[in-house]
């Protein structure tokens, strides 16, 4: 589902040609969600608000950049989040969260938060019921379940801070189970 919530502005999917999957250009908040199942993003997204990709059973964002004025969130409630694309926020935070899975930010997954923080967080049981270590395979490499793996560049600058907040710097937080 592609939703544009709480605003009167519209969302446009622009296609350069008939084979192009398109670019989502939104003058408002943009949310792509899979309440049941897996979410694979196949579009570049440009938003004047927040961008949220939310999936129950895992999320992949391969080679499709996301640019937002406000926050960017990639969130899987049960499954892994894999990203290999630029995520750039002008005023907000960038968060990649797997409630029960791993976060794998591959090469090319450069993350920039000009006005906020960057959080990569993975949670969940690292061992199965028999005590064996759980693993996940991404692009032919094996990682421990519940881990945060980053191969991209991460930049967090609080460039938009004003007044007493001006000394504050953006933070980068990597959290794993």
């Amino acid at each position: 589902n592609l939703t544009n919530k709480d605003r009167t502005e519209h969302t446009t999917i622009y296609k350069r040609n008939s084979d192009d999957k398109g670019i989502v250009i939104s003058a408002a908040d943009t949310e792509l969600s899979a309440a049941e199942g897996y979410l694979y993003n196949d579009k570049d997204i440009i938003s004047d608000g927040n961008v949220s990709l939310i999936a129950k059973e895992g999320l992949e964002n391969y080679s499709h950049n996301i640019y937002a004025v406000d926050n960017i969130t990639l969130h899987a409630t049960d499954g892994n989040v894999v990203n290999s694309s630029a995520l750039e926020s002008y005023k907000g935070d960038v968060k990649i969260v797997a409630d029960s899975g791993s976060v794998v930010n591959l090469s090319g997954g450069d993350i920039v938060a000009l006005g906020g923080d960057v959080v990569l967080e993975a949670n969940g049981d690292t061992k199965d019921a028999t005590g064996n270590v759980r693993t996940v395979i991404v692009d032919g490499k094996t990682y421990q379940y519940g881990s945060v793996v980053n191969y991209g560049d991460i930049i967090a600058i609080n460039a938009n801070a004003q007044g007493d907040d001006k000394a504050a710097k953006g933070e980068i937080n990597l959290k794993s189970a």
Side-chain angles (χ1 to χ4, degrees):
N1 296 330
L2 171 62
T3 60
N4 183 353
K5 295 184 175 181
D6 302 324
R7 296 202 186 176
T8 57
E9 294 89 354
H10 65 280
T11 298
T12 303
I13 297 179
Y14 171 75
K15 293 187 175 190
R16 293 174 286 256
N17 58 52
S18 62
D19 296 329
D20 190 5
K21 293 192 185 287
I23 300 172
V24 175
I25 300 173
S26 175
D29 293 348
T30 302
E31 180 179 295
L32 282 76
S33 65
E36 298 293 327
Y38 200 82
L39 177 64
Y40 180 86
N41 179 41
D42 64 352
K43 299 188 180 359
D44 287 341
I45 300 173
I46 301 169
S47 176
D48 195 27
N50 298 303
V51 174
S52 300
L53 277 61
I54 302 167
K56 181 175 182 187
E57 297 176 13
L59 187 154
E60 290 183 5
N61 186 51
Y62 278 109
S63 304
H64 299 286
N65 300 322
I66 299 174
Y67 305 101
V69 170
D70 294 318
N71 299 319
I72 297 173
T73 303
L74 278 60
H75 183 201
T77 57
D78 186 18
N80 305 306
V81 180
V82 179
N83 178 60
S84 69
S85 304
L87 305 175
E88 296 184 16
S89 168
Y90 176 67
K91 292 192 313 189
D93 299 328
V94 178
K95 295 181 182 179
I96 304 176
V97 179
D99 289 343
S100 183
S102 296
V103 169
V104 181
N105 191 47
L106 298 168
S107 179
D110 298 334
I111 301 171
V112 178
L114 293 176
D117 302 328
V118 174
V119 176
L120 278 64
E121 182 177 351
N123 299 293
D125 294 329
T126 58
K127 295 185 179 180
D128 64 18
T130 61
N132 295 320
V133 174
R134 297 170 70 187
T135 59
V136 58
I137 299 173
V138 177
D139 283 356
K141 294 182 181 178
T142 303
Y143 304 102
Q144 182 173 336
Y145 194 84
S147 62
V148 171
V149 179
N150 179 60
Y151 294 105
D153 294 333
I154 300 177
I155 299 170
I157 303 170
N158 198 359
N160 299 315
Q162 297 178 4
D164 293 338
D165 237 6
K166 214 165 189 168
K169 305 291 183 213
E171 294 184 3
I172 299 171
N173 296 297
L174 308 178
K175 306 173 187 177
S176 60

